[in-house]
């Protein structure tokens, strides 16, 4: 599957979880991927499959 097919829904899910705009959600996803040393596509897949959830309490 194309990684963008998972990235866009993941952005939307993070947007709702944090209550932020779409661009800020992508920044959160990228920051998480960078700090965890993981590919962005893998992080997006984990969000979409609900293996990873972001909470508003997270920095």
């Amino acid at each position: 599957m194309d990684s963008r097919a998972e990235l866009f829904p993941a952005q939307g899910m993070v947007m709702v979880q944090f209550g932020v705009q779409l661009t800020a959600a992508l920044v959160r996803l990228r920051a998480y991927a960078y700090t965890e040393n993981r590919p962005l596509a893998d992080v997006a897949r984990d969000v979409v499959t609900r293996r990873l959830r972001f909470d508003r309490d997270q920095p």
Side-chain angles (χ1 to χ4, degrees), residues 24-59:
L26 179 58
V27 169
R28 297 270 184 167
L29 284 167
R30 286 181 173 169
Y32 183 88
Y34 177 79
T35 59
E36 296 295 317
N37 196 29
R38 296 182 60 206
L40 181 58
D42 290 354
V43 172
R45 185 175 305 111
D46 285 352
V47 170
V48 170
T49 60
R50 297 177 176 15
R51 287 182 285 201
L52 174 62
R53 178 172 170 78
F54 294 94
D55 294 316
R56 290 181 187 207
D57 296 338
Q58 293 178 334

